[in-house]
Amino acid sequence: MKRDLLSILDLTREEIYALFGRARALKDLQKRRVPHQRLTGRTLGLLFDKSSTRTRVSFEVGVYQLGGHSIFLSPKDTQIGRGEPVRDTARVLSRYLDGVVIRTFSHDLLEEFAHYASIPVINGLTDLLHPCQVLTDLFTITERKGRIEGLRIAWIGDGNNMANSWILASSRLGFELVLACPPGYGPHRKVLDLAGREGGGKVKIVEDPREAAEGADVINTDVWASMGQEEEYDARRKIFAPYQVDAGILSMAADDAVVMHCLPAHRGEEITEEVLEGPQSVVFEQAENRLHLQKAILEKLMG
Ligand code: CP
Ligand code: NVA
């Protein structure tokens, strides 16, 4: 049966750790320029309704390094933009492609596509979740800290798709997660309910960013207005101003804490230039690891 990756909950804890192991091996092979073409003759489609630098390029390069090929599909150049139903597109593309990465607004649309597709569907970000990024961030943490268990991870800012995926990750892997969000901007109810049913996580939601940062091993943040929320940008800038990750917030974390941001970042808004470019920032390692971790995902789902 085909496997999809729409949410971190689609993977077991053992599968997540196996992905980290394979990503580490693939990273080493790529650094040593050893060929590792396990997807020869396979084609990956990338169906993107939103802009992307990292997700698009890391998947395209990743499948190429694995011996396969990719096709970038934007709605304006396909019949999707002219209203061809999702369920038809899913069944047609399944007859050409061996897998597809979808970046879109509605998570329901992604689920509908996956329901009708007979090929693996990978979530390249929806308004609700961004699993490939959070899996990569967890992999980056294992490289840096040698473990995830027992760590205290802080999320400071919007309760957005990244925050939601962190909550599901905590429920799968059991680390402590403290989110500081302004009132009314917390994580999605559906995700909290889902995490509650799965159990396993130690998730706390607070208002004060300092409470989240206190003793944290990892400080995480993201933009205050995600793609699709451009009209709310001015209002959000004011509401989120007390949630900037700056030197003061960082000083409350553990001495060896790392700072994470999935990028793109807005310096001077959710994070200061000093912290983003500072010695505790691992943002470019995160960006690089998208390539290695997603190659492990492609092998697992399309191999
Ligand atoms: N972090 C991330 O998903 O970046 P892109 O929007 O550039 O793909
Ligand atoms: N939360 C951001 C992440 C971008 C990678 C967004 O959805 O725009």
Side-chain angles (χ1 to χ4, degrees):
M1 220 186 64
K2 68 136 177 169
R3 287 283 303 274
D4 298 319
L5 177 51
L6 309 187
S7 153
I8 286 179
L9 295 182
D10 290 333
L11 299 168
T12 64
R13 172 196 170 83
E14 291 68 32
E15 285 176 321
I16 293 172
Y17 282 111
L19 281 176
F20 296 165
R22 185 59 187 155
R24 206 165 297 123
L26 286 165
K27 185 169 182 174
D28 177 62
L29 291 172
Q30 196 238 330
K31 300 274 178 212
R32 292 190 290 116
R33 301 198 169 272
V34 177
H36 46 279
Q37 307 197 326
R38 291 213 182 162
L39 295 182
T40 312
R42 307 288 161 90
T43 305
L44 178 71
L46 288 100
L47 201 53
F48 278 37
D49 282 334
K50 291 177 173 178
S51 306
S52 171
T53 298
R54 279 145 288 268
T55 307
R56 175 180 177 175
V57 177
S58 56
F59 268 112
E60 290 204 15
V61 170
V63 74
Y64 173 74
Q65 290 179 359
L66 292 169
H69 175 68
S70 66
I71 304 179
F72 187 78
L73 300 156
S74 87
K76 72 174 181 351
D77 305 318
T78 60
Q79 300 291 4
I80 298 166
R82 296 180 58 247
E84 184 164 13
V86 169
R87 59 187 189 276
D88 293 0
T89 307
R91 284 174 289 182
V92 170
L93 292 181
S94 293
R95 285 167 161 80
Y96 306 133
L97 301 171
D98 301 291
V100 63
V101 182
I102 299 181
R103 169 168 284 202
T104 192
F105 295 87
S106 153
H107 195 77
D108 290 346
L109 184 147
L110 175 77
E111 287 182 341
E112 185 187 351
F113 193 106
H115 175 78
Y116 285 98
S118 53
I119 54 172
V121 177
I122 299 170
N123 182 353
L125 180 148
T126 61
D127 289 347
L128 191 70
L129 299 174
H130 196 7
C132 293
Q133 179 71 55
V134 173
L135 287 168
T136 300
D137 297 348
L138 289 160
F139 170 60
T140 307
I141 293 170
T142 62
E143 284 188 320
R144 276 288 180 142
K145 305 223 164 262
R147 68 193 166 107
I148 291 168
E149 255 107 301
L151 295 183
R152 179 178 157 94
I153 299 185
W155 176 270
I156 296 175
D158 193 17
N160 62 14
N161 43 13
M162 284 290 300
N164 291 334
S165 282
W166 272 105
I167 290 170
L168 298 182
S170 164
S171 134
R172 228 355 140 244
L173 301 183
F175 55 84
E176 185 185 354
L177 177 67
V178 188
L179 303 104
C181 310
Y185 292 87
H188 203 289
R189 188 74 252 163
K190 182 169 146 183
V191 168
L192 292 172
D193 290 346
L194 206 57
R197 278 202 298 279
E198 290 285 328
K202 290 177 227 133
V203 179
K204 192 167 154 198
I205 301 170
V206 299
E207 270 180 36
D208 184 353
R210 284 164 305 189
E211 192 180 339
E214 184 81 56
D217 300 294
V218 178
I219 301 261
N220 244 298
T221 190
D222 187 15
V223 291
W224 291 338
S226 285
M227 290 181 276
Q229 296 174 330
E230 290 75 10
E231 280 160 30
E232 296 173 38
Y233 178 71
D234 290 335
R236 281 171 169 267
R237 269 190 75 160
K238 292 191 190 82
I239 294 163
F240 282 88
Y243 291 80
Q244 184 182 67
V245 174
D246 58 12
I249 287 283
L250 188 54
S251 71
M252 309 199 58
D255 291 342
D256 62 349
V258 294
V259 175
M260 304 191 107
H261 191 310
C262 64
L263 303 180
H266 292 72
R267 289 167 165 82
E269 292 184 23
E270 74 274 5
I271 191 164
T272 60
E273 167 86 12
E274 183 189 10
V275 172
L276 188 83
E277 297 288 355
Q280 285 166 275
S281 166
V282 296
V283 301
F284 296 107
E285 287 167 44
Q286 290 173 258
E288 177 187 332
N289 282 337
R290 292 293 299 277
L291 174 68
H292 310 301
L293 193 279
Q294 288 164 189
K295 282 166 72 180
I297 293 172
L298 291 175
E299 276 189 351
K300 178 175 174 62
L301 301 184
M302 285 168 60

